Amino acid sequence: MLIVSASTAEARDDPRIKIDIEATSLPEAIAELAREAFVSVGAEGSLPRMRTKSLQGRMTVDAALTRILQGTGYAARRVSATAWRIERAPHPTVTPP
């Protein structure tokens, strides 16, 4: 189980934060986001070490997680004001005509 946590004091002030994450592995990008945003991010088991793109700018944690996880098969679900859980993204359901 992966859990990354930081102090939550700054996470409550402004939902947008300055993000500066280098291109790295998925677990490292998630850990760096948690450090920069002062939030907790967890996942059941370990995340694959696939490469992520760099991410810079001012955005919410939700937006940053969405961009980091894009194309990985994972999605983030907010579980509290300062905590997210990384889960397998649901497969789209196709309804026959």
Side-chain angles (χ1 to χ4, degrees):
M1 173 181 279
L2 168 74
I3 297 180
V4 182
S5 180
S7 168
T8 59
E10 290 184 34
R12 294 184 199 125
D13 295 339
D14 182 358
R16 293 176 304 126
I17 57 165
K18 182 177 181 275
I19 305 286
D20 187 13
I21 300 173
E22 299 289 324
T24 187
S25 70
L26 181 57
E28 289 297 319
I30 296 295
E32 182 59 26
L33 175 62
R35 281 189 292 274
E36 290 184 14
F38 298 98
V39 296
S40 297
V41 182
E44 184 68 36
S46 59
L47 294 172
R49 297 199 54 79
M50 58 181 54
R51 295 290 290 175
T52 62
K53 296 179 181 179
S54 64
L55 181 62
Q56 287 87 26
R58 193 163 175 80
M59 65 194 76
T60 65
V61 173
D62 284 316
L65 283 167
T66 297
R67 290 179 59 184
I68 289 170
L69 295 170
Q70 186 175 21
T72 66
Y74 289 87
R77 180 172 55 90
R78 192 173 195 160
V79 294
S80 77
T82 58
W84 282 259
R85 181 173 182 79
I86 306 299
E87 303 172 332
R88 280 269 184 209
H91 296 288
T93 304
V94 178
T95 307

